[in-house]
Amino acid sequence: SDIVGFTSMTHKCQKEPRLIMEMLNNLYDEFDNLADGRFNLYKVETIGDAYMVAGGLFGDEGHAVRMADMALEMRLAAQRVVDPVTKRPLSIRVGIHTGPVLAGVIGVMRPRWVLVGDTVNLASRMETDSVSQAINVSEAFFNRVNTECPGGFQFQSRGVREVKGRGKVQQYFLKGRKKHQAENCNNCEYSSPPPDGLTPRNRSFRRLASVKGSMQPVLSPSQSSRHPTTTTTPSSTTTDAEAALRSSSNNW
């Protein structure tokens, strides 16, 4: 997602940047509570006004349904945060796609777990091609949601639209929920805690911790002088390392 009119907003608040930081903090706090506390989704990162979240990274079922529900709640959450310039509720744009991604830990000084691939790029295109307070989704996500919860959501077809770098792509607006359908859908029963008691965020920390010691960054000669090489012993955590780096089906 991103904020409609964010560039203009920051320009007008140059003398009071604190207002922008407070607004972003309030908005992201709302989104974090939805992702980590309610829908068991993984917050990937924030870049400026862009908020990125993923689901299905750990083999959990029903992630498309949870992603759709979070997107609908994000629109409402944005309305609870005030634009520091206009003093009116914020408007956001949301884009979603589903497909395989590559994941791994990158970096030496500030290592980060990142997700890359065509799925990430197309999700970004869906957001860019969206409009104010709308949720724009790809045909792949449309099909996935209707497989997990048949008839549970309302969609509006946008037809086939030109997408930069991808050509023509069928797109849909996610309009809302059909609540009567959710009562008979197993994938909609996601409010209970996960079996291991961990949220996706904490589970990822545990997995990365289990991988530590079985992997070693490749250093250049100049880096080697600053970071002495240590010897690691292969162990049973190799399987976890491979699992952390494998490609899986995810929503963005």
Side-chain angles (χ1 to χ4, degrees), residues 87-207:
K87 307 303 179 183
R88 301 177 64 182
L90 288 179
S91 293
I92 62 172
R93 300 181 301 178
V94 181
I96 314 177
H97 178 53
T98 187
V101 299
L102 300 177
V105 180
I106 296 177
V108 175
M109 293 185 64
R110 295 180 179 84
R112 293 173 54 212
W113 193 54
V114 300
L115 283 77
V116 297
D118 186 61
T119 298
V120 181
N121 295 333
L122 188 52
S124 177
R125 299 299 185 196
M126 293 298 99
E127 177 249 290
T128 302
D129 205 28
S130 187
V131 297
S132 178
Q133 285 297 96
I135 303 167
N136 190 39
V137 308
S138 66
E139 185 174 27
F141 183 79
F142 170 84
N143 291 333
R144 178 73 186 230
V145 168
N146 283 314
T147 298
E148 292 184 0
C149 184
F153 293 87
Q154 297 174 341
F155 290 93
Q156 175 187 334
S157 175
R158 303 186 71 193
V160 176
R161 296 172 60 86
E162 189 73 25
V163 174
K164 182 179 179 181
R166 286 296 299 268
K168 297 184 182 298
V169 176
Q170 173 69 47
Q171 300 179 34
Y172 298 84
F173 278 144
L174 171 59
K175 305 295 290 185
R177 255 289 195 179
K178 295 179 181 177
K179 294 184 179 180
H180 64 282
Q181 292 291 116
E183 297 176 358
N184 301 316
C185 177
N186 292 332
N187 286 321
C188 295
E189 299 175 358
Y190 48 75
S191 57
S192 58
D196 56 11
L198 295 174
T199 63
R201 182 185 302 173
N202 292 332
R203 189 183 296 114
S204 69
F205 288 161
R206 186 179 70 175
R207 172 161 297 183

Side-chain angles (χ1 to χ4, degrees), residues 16-35:
E16 294 184 275
R18 173 183 57 83
L19 298 177
I20 296 296
M21 295 300 104
E22 289 179 350
M23 180 268 295
L24 288 175
N25 187 67
N26 291 337
L27 181 65
Y28 292 160
D29 187 51
E30 292 271 2
F31 290 173
D32 288 349
N33 288 334
L34 292 173

